[in-house]
Amino acid sequence: MPDEKPSNSARFNIAEIASTFPSTADTLLVDHYLTNRDEASARVFRVYRGTPPHYHEGCDEYLFVISGRGTFWMEDASAEAEFRPGDLLFFQKGTVHALPTILEEPIVFLSVDTPRRKPTDIIFIDPTSGSVETFVQRNAVSSNT
C-alpha cells in the first residue's frame, strides 16, 4: 500500500462532532481537535462548569460560540458580559480570561489558536483552582491535518 500524503484540506461537521460529547464530565472541558498544525490548531469543545481565570502563554485564541449561553470576561472581571451563539470572542496570548457562569447548556465553542496551542498551555491565576488534568479531557485527537 503506498504511503498516504496528509491532506491539505478537510471538511468538518461541527454539530455532529458536538453531539458526541458526553452529557457530563469530570473535567471542565471535553475537546476534539480538528487540526493540529504548528501554525494553528482548531478544536471543538464543550464546557461543563464555570471556568476560573487563566491564560495561555503560547497563542492567541478565537472562540466562536456554537451553542449555549454564559458569561465571559477578558483582561478584567469587571468586563464580564453574556455570550450567545454566533458571538466570536478573541484574546491575545497572555490575556487572563474566565467563563464564570453557565446560563444555558450545552456550551460548545469552535476554537482556533494561532499558533498551535499545546494541550498543556494552561496557567491558572489561582493554582489551586485547576490543573492540566482537571481542565480538559481529550475526547479525540485528529491527525496533523
Side-chain angles (χ1 to χ4, degrees):
M1 190 170 196
D3 290 336
E4 290 190 32
K5 181 177 144 186
S7 175
N8 290 329
S9 60
R11 188 177 303 226
F12 303 99
N13 185 320
I14 303 302
E16 185 177 292
I17 293 166
S19 75
T20 68
F21 292 140
S23 58
T24 62
D26 293 332
T27 53
L28 294 171
L29 311 176
V30 172
D31 74 359
H32 175 100
Y33 271 81
L34 305 173
T35 64
N36 197 11
R37 303 172 67 118
D38 288 340
E39 303 81 11
S41 56
R43 304 172 290 135
V44 176
F45 66 86
R46 179 172 174 178
V47 180
Y48 291 89
R49 56 187 136 296
T51 306
H54 65 281
Y55 64 95
H56 310 291
E57 288 183 315
C59 67
D60 295 346
E61 191 164 12
Y62 298 81
L63 298 176
F64 183 76
V65 183
I66 302 296
S67 68
R69 291 183 317 110
T71 63
F72 197 89
W73 61 262
M74 299 166 271
E75 298 184 43
D76 188 307
S78 67
E80 184 174 341
E82 186 176 328
F83 64 83
R84 60 186 64 244
D87 287 351
L88 178 66
L89 308 171
F90 165 76
F91 42 92
Q92 293 182 340
K93 65 182 174 182
T95 301
V96 177
H97 55 282
L99 190 160
T101 309
I102 294 175
L103 299 171
E104 182 182 308
E105 296 185 90
I107 291 179
V108 176
F109 288 101
L110 169 64
S111 176
V112 176
D113 305 306
T114 59
R116 171 188 177 268
R117 181 162 98 58
K118 295 177 184 174
T120 55
D121 183 5
I122 175 79
I123 296 95
F124 288 96
I125 299 306
D126 175 359
T128 65
S129 66
S131 67
V132 170
E133 294 78 22
T134 63
F135 184 65
V136 66
Q137 171 188 326
R138 300 282 167 241
N139 186 51
V141 178
S142 74
S143 63
N144 288 337
T145 58

